[in-house]
């Protein structure tokens, strides 16, 4: 007994301290409960003192916030959509396993960790669609058509490998759209049920719910339902299963380096990955060099006021001393003979004109009125509509230029050249981007990522107008319109500061052949557009530009002469600018494009042309210039060219590759 007393004496202070702590905790808890009750009474008093209308608004807003959040969560977590992957159509579904998975069927799968936390996505590949125009008078499928279709499929696979972000963005947008639609439907159903319950309760829904919750059965059912819902949503997210597949070292340095591949596709990636990696690396290096060369050549051309052609390679201007000398000579001639140049637009360039400017007419490019410029305005119903009064060429751009247009054509889904076109928009300060058709290769639904690429490349704030070429389809036009493009449709449209007319190409060229879309040939299409332009002019709205894919429509438009500028591509040749006398005035015609096969997958194999045009405040063209991407990644920014004399033709930049 006496031996245990010292232990009790040592524990005594501890027990006393614990008792005091518990007592303090009870007192604190009591104060909190009393404070909570006082706060609750204060809130109730405040709430009861509000007007009935105020309380109704707050309850309604609270209901909308809670049900909206629930509907959005449920809608997004169950979203599904159809969106292309490469040449395939595919089904996209939101999952809650924190993984993005591409299911390739018997070939295996590819997966990466989702950047969206708990939200993942499963993509299941479907079939490669047959020709969209089959059964509509299209050319029957032949071995040639099948070969071209398979080639286009191969290009789609490479585009997927090099730019997966385009496919991902489109698929995610489709899922978001479906999720929002589902959320809206769920929200509508919930609100309808609430309204019906309120009517059934005679306007006393809260009292009815409160009474129901006091019953044990109702409480148990609601608790069980909530538990089942939470388990269904949370358990998949807590899955600890090991993802299938492994990362492939051969894909290091590509957008797919973090993907885990399984099945036969992993073997394919292991075997052919080095080739794909090498191809993508070479393509990236080529277009990185091309972008640098474009920026270098453009900056040098701007410093020289655009009076001579400038070529850049490996990030440096080629023959800078010669370019400077040619520019100085052009300025000297323009300043020394302004009267002659303005009164004699057809004057030939001086004999001592420097060679190597690329156009063969530096004086023409630099003269106030432009050697080879337009003839005097004819006394027609639209006098002087083709060019602004006085000068054309670089000086006119400097003094009168108000609207800058970048023109592309026959891009044929080369995603890198499309990106370069967006860079040109930025450098030129484009007000309008015009695409003259054949943006795609066959116009198939999976190829609409080409439209997505161009829409992303064109800077925000730049107006956009496109015409549909023979390789494009109705789905191409629909995708363009959905992304904010004005698509020519046979009516006069106002785009930026210009009035534009055009229409869908008369022909359709899916894989393997070409056929006429409707009842009009190219010439008949031109006749209809000519009538539209003249009718619009008589009503007081003169057409500034006709944007049409095939130049074979030009004949009737030139004959009537109610539209002063015609733009076309299609021929895969740079034919430059020409001017003809039309029935109501002079008509300028610019026909352009890359060489056949020059704008395809990967690096260009022939010169690829883009153009920049400048217009005055009245919509009259002042000058034009060519921007040329060469097969060695060098870039030539052409001089601002005046319009040639009627019956004449002027070429754009013709500098040869430096390699």
């Amino acid at each position: 007994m006496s031996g245990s007393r010292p232990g009790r004496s040592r524990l005594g202070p501890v027990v006393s301290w614990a008792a005091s702590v518990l007592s303090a905790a009870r007192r604190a808890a009591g104060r909190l409960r009393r404070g909570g009750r006082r706060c609750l009474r204060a809130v109730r008093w405040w709430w009861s003192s509000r007007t009935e209308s105020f309380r109704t608004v707050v309850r309604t807003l609270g209901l909308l916030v809670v049900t909206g959040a629930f509907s959005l969560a449920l809608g997004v977590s169950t979203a599904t959509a159809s969106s292309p992957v490469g040449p395939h159509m595919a089904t996209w579904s939101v999952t809650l396993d924190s993984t993005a998975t591409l299911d390739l069927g018997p070939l295996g799968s590819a997966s990466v960790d989702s950047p969206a936390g708990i939200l993942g996505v499963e993509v299941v590949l479907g079939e490669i669609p047959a020709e969209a125009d089959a059964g509509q008078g299209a050319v029957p499928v032949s071995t040639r058509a099948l070969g071209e279709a398979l080639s286009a499929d191969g290009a789609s696979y490479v585009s997927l490998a090099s730019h997966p972000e385009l496919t991902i963005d489109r698929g995610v947008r489709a899922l978001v759209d479906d999720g929002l639609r589902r959320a809206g439907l769920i929200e509508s159903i919930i609100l309808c049920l609430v309204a019906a319950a309120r009517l059934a309760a005679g306007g006393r829904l809260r009292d009815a719910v409160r009474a129901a919750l006091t019953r044990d059965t109702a409480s148990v059912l609601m608790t069980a339902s909530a538990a089942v819902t939470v388990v269904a949503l949370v358990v998949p997210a807590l899955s600890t299963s090991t993802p299938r597949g492994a990362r492939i070292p051969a894909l290091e340095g590509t957008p797919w380096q973090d993907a885990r591949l399984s099945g036969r596709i992993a073997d394919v990636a292991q075997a052919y990955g080095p080739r794909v990696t090498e191809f993508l690396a070479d393509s990236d290096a080529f277009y990185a060099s091309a972008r640098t060369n474009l920026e270098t050549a453009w900056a040098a051309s701007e410093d020289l006021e655009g009076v001579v052609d400038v070529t850049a390679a490996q990030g440096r201007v080629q023959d800078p001393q010669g370019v400077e000398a040619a520019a100085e000579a052009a300025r000297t001639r323009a300043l020394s003979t302004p009267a002659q140049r303005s009164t004699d637009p057809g004057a030939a360039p001086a004999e001592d004109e420097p060679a190597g400017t690329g156009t063969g007419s530096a004086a023409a490019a630099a003269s106030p009125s432009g050697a080879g410029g337009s003839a005097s305005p004819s006394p027609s119903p639209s006098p002087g509509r083709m060019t602004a009064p006085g000068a054309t060429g670089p000086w006119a751009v400097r003094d009168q230029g108000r609207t800058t247009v970048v023109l592309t054509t026959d891009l044929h889904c080369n995603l890198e050249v499309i990106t370069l076109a967006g860079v040109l928009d930025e450098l030129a300060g484009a007000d309008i981007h015009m695409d003259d058709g054949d943006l795609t290769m066959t116009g198939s639904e999976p190829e609409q990522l080409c439209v997505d690429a161009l829409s992303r490349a064109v800077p925000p704030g730049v107006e956009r107008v496109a015409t549909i070429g023979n390789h494009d389809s109705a789905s191409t036009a629909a995708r363009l319109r959905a992304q904010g493009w004005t698509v020519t449709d046979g009516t006069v449209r106002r785009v930026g500061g210009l009035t534009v007319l055009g229409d869908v190409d008369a022909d359709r060229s899916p894989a393997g052949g070409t056929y006429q879309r409707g009842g009009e040939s190219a010439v008949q299409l031109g006749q209809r557009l000519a009538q539209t332009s003249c009718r619009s002019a008589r009503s007081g709205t003169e057409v500034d530009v006709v944007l049409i894919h095939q130049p074979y429509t030009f004949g009737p438009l030139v004959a009537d002469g109610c539209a002063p500028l015609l733009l076309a591509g299609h021929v895969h040749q740079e034919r430059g600018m020409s001017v003809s006398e039309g029935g109501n005035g002079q008509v300028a015609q610019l026909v352009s494009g890359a060489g056949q096969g020059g704008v395809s997958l990967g690096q260009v194999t022939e010169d690829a042309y883009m153009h920049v045009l400048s217009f005055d405040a009245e919509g009259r063209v002042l000058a034009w210039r060519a921007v040329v991407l060469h097969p060695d990644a060098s870039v030539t920014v052409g001089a601002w060219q005046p319009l040639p004399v009627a019956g004449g033709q002027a070429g754009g930049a013709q500098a040869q590759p430096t390699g």
Side-chain angles (χ1 to χ4, degrees):
M1 294 289 293
S2 61
S4 62
R5 287 173 185 168
R8 290 198 197 96
S9 62
R10 286 194 296 270
L11 290 175
V14 175
V15 173
S16 178
W17 176 83
S20 63
V21 169
L22 289 175
S23 177
R26 291 192 195 97
R27 289 194 298 271
R31 285 194 294 269
L32 286 175
R33 284 195 297 270
R34 290 191 295 272
R37 294 191 191 101
R38 285 195 294 269
C39 290
L40 184 59
R41 285 195 297 270
V43 169
R44 287 174 176 171
W45 175 85
W46 177 87
W47 178 253
S48 62
S49 65
R50 302 300 96 185
T51 63
E52 183 62 31
S53 59
F54 174 84
R55 286 181 288 175
T56 300
V57 169
V58 172
R59 291 192 193 101
T60 303
L61 290 177
L63 175 66
L64 291 176
V65 169
V66 172
T67 59
F70 173 79
S71 300
L72 184 61
L74 188 57
V76 169
S77 63
T78 59
T80 62
S82 178
S83 184
V85 174
H88 299 263
M89 293 306 297
T91 300
W92 296 57
S93 304
V94 173
T95 64
L96 296 170
D97 59 1
S98 305
T99 303
T101 303
L102 175 61
D103 187 346
L104 302 173
L107 292 179
S109 67
S111 63
V112 295
D113 294 333
S114 172
I118 185 176
L119 292 178
V121 63
E122 182 181 34
V123 183
V124 180
L125 284 192
E127 65 180 12
I128 299 176
E131 284 299 322
D133 300 318
Q136 301 177 11
V139 177
V141 177
S142 62
T143 54
R144 176 192 170 196
L146 181 59
E148 291 183 2
L150 292 175
S151 177
D153 294 343
S156 295
Y157 286 125
V158 176
S159 297
L160 174 63
S162 60
H163 288 277
E165 72 278 0
L166 293 172
T167 298
I168 293 171
D169 285 351
R170 183 170 183 182
V172 169
R173 287 177 181 273
L175 286 174
V176 169
D177 290 344
D178 184 71
L180 292 177
R181 283 193 296 269
R182 289 170 180 258
L185 178 60
I186 294 169
E187 177 76 352
S188 300
I189 293 174
I190 292 175
L191 294 180
C192 288
L193 291 175
V194 169
R198 183 175 176 80
L199 290 174
R204 308 294 297 178
L205 179 59
R206 293 191 309 278
D207 295 338
V209 171
R210 191 179 299 112
L213 291 177
T214 59
R215 301 170 187 168
D216 293 340
T217 304
S219 298
V220 170
L221 287 175
M222 291 194 65
T223 302
S225 299
V228 169
T229 301
V230 170
V231 168
L233 293 176
V234 173
V235 167
L238 300 178
S239 174
T240 58
S241 60
T242 303
R244 291 182 298 167
R247 293 181 174 87
I248 306 299
L251 299 181
E252 192 70 29
T254 73
W256 296 87
Q257 63 182 4
D258 293 327
R260 296 181 293 269
L261 305 183
S262 67
R264 185 62 66 194
I265 191 62
D267 298 333
V268 172
Q270 191 71 47
Y272 293 97
R275 298 185 188 180
V276 174
T277 302
E278 181 181 5
F279 174 84
L280 296 179
D282 290 346
S283 181
D284 289 346
F286 178 90
Y287 285 103
S289 177
R291 175 169 184 157
T292 299
N293 293 332
L294 172 59
E295 293 170 342
T296 301
W298 186 272
S301 178
E302 289 295 284
D303 290 342
L304 299 173
E305 299 185 279
V307 298
V308 292
D309 291 359
V310 178
T311 299
Q314 298 179 342
R316 298 187 298 273
V317 174
Q318 302 299 287
D319 189 19
Q321 292 81 11
V323 171
E324 287 276 2
E328 187 59 34
R331 294 192 192 96
T332 301
R333 280 192 297 272
L335 293 173
S336 63
T337 59
Q340 176 185 354
R341 291 301 178 188
S342 61
T343 58
D344 183 14
E351 292 182 0
D352 62 347
E353 178 179 357
T357 62
T359 64
S361 57
S367 64
S369 63
S374 60
S376 302
S378 60
S380 66
S382 301
R385 271 287 295 157
M386 187 185 74
T387 59
T392 66
W395 315 132
V397 173
R398 181 189 63 188
D399 298 334
Q400 304 175 51
R402 296 294 180 271
T403 301
T404 300
V405 172
V406 168
L407 173 68
T408 55
T409 185
D410 297 280
L411 292 170
H412 286 297
C413 211
N414 188 311
L415 302 181
E416 307 296 350
V417 176
I418 288 173
T419 300
L420 203 65
V423 175
L424 180 58
D425 282 322
E426 294 179 356
L427 294 173
D431 300 295
I432 305 172
H433 187 107
M434 294 185 177
D435 186 77
D436 208 0
D438 279 4
L439 176 55
T440 66
M441 292 178 288
T442 65
S444 65
E445 178 63 27
E447 281 186 303
Q448 301 325 312
L449 67 85
C450 314
V451 177
D452 299 349
L454 185 58
S455 296
R456 287 179 49 155
V458 176
V462 177
E463 296 288 334
R464 305 149 189 239
V465 58
T467 198
I468 298 301
N470 56 297
H471 284 276
D472 302 321
S473 66
S475 61
T476 309
R479 188 70 177 171
L480 283 164
R481 290 191 180 96
Q483 297 188 353
W485 289 73
T486 298
V487 179
T488 57
D489 59 1
T491 62
V492 177
R493 310 289 293 274
R494 189 71 178 174
V495 181
L498 300 178
T499 305
V500 181
L501 174 65
D503 208 346
V504 177
D505 193 80
D507 294 330
R508 174 77 174 100
S509 299
T514 299
Y515 61 92
Q516 190 170 300
R517 287 183 197 260
E520 287 181 324
S521 65
V523 173
Q524 291 169 329
L525 173 59
Q527 291 172 343
R528 176 166 57 81
L529 294 179
Q531 294 170 1
T532 301
S533 64
C534 291
R535 186 165 56 249
S536 180
R538 288 193 296 269
S539 67
T541 302
E542 295 180 314
V543 172
D544 298 319
V545 179
V546 172
L547 184 67
I548 195 71
H549 185 62
Q550 291 194 42
Y552 312 123
T553 60
F554 282 4
L557 287 158
V558 171
D560 283 358
C562 294
L565 178 60
L566 314 179
L567 304 176
H570 181 69
V571 295
H572 290 275
Q573 295 176 1
E574 172 65 13
R575 295 182 180 176
M577 183 79 77
S578 62
V579 175
S580 304
E581 286 288 353
N584 286 300
Q586 295 179 357
V587 180
Q589 305 134 68
L590 175 61
V591 181
S592 178
Q596 188 70 38
V599 186
S600 54
L601 188 66
Q603 305 175 22
V604 298
T605 57
E606 299 182 33
D607 287 347
Y609 284 78
M610 296 177 282
H611 292 85
V612 184
L613 298 96
S614 180
F615 296 79
D616 70 4
E618 301 299 322
R620 293 172 292 210
V621 62
L622 296 169
W624 65 284
R625 70 196 311 184
V627 177
V628 191
L629 170 61
H630 303 295
D632 64 347
S634 63
V635 174
T636 298
V637 175
W640 282 112
Q641 299 290 321
L643 299 183
V645 66
Q649 184 164 349
Q654 301 292 331
Q656 296 300 313
T658 59

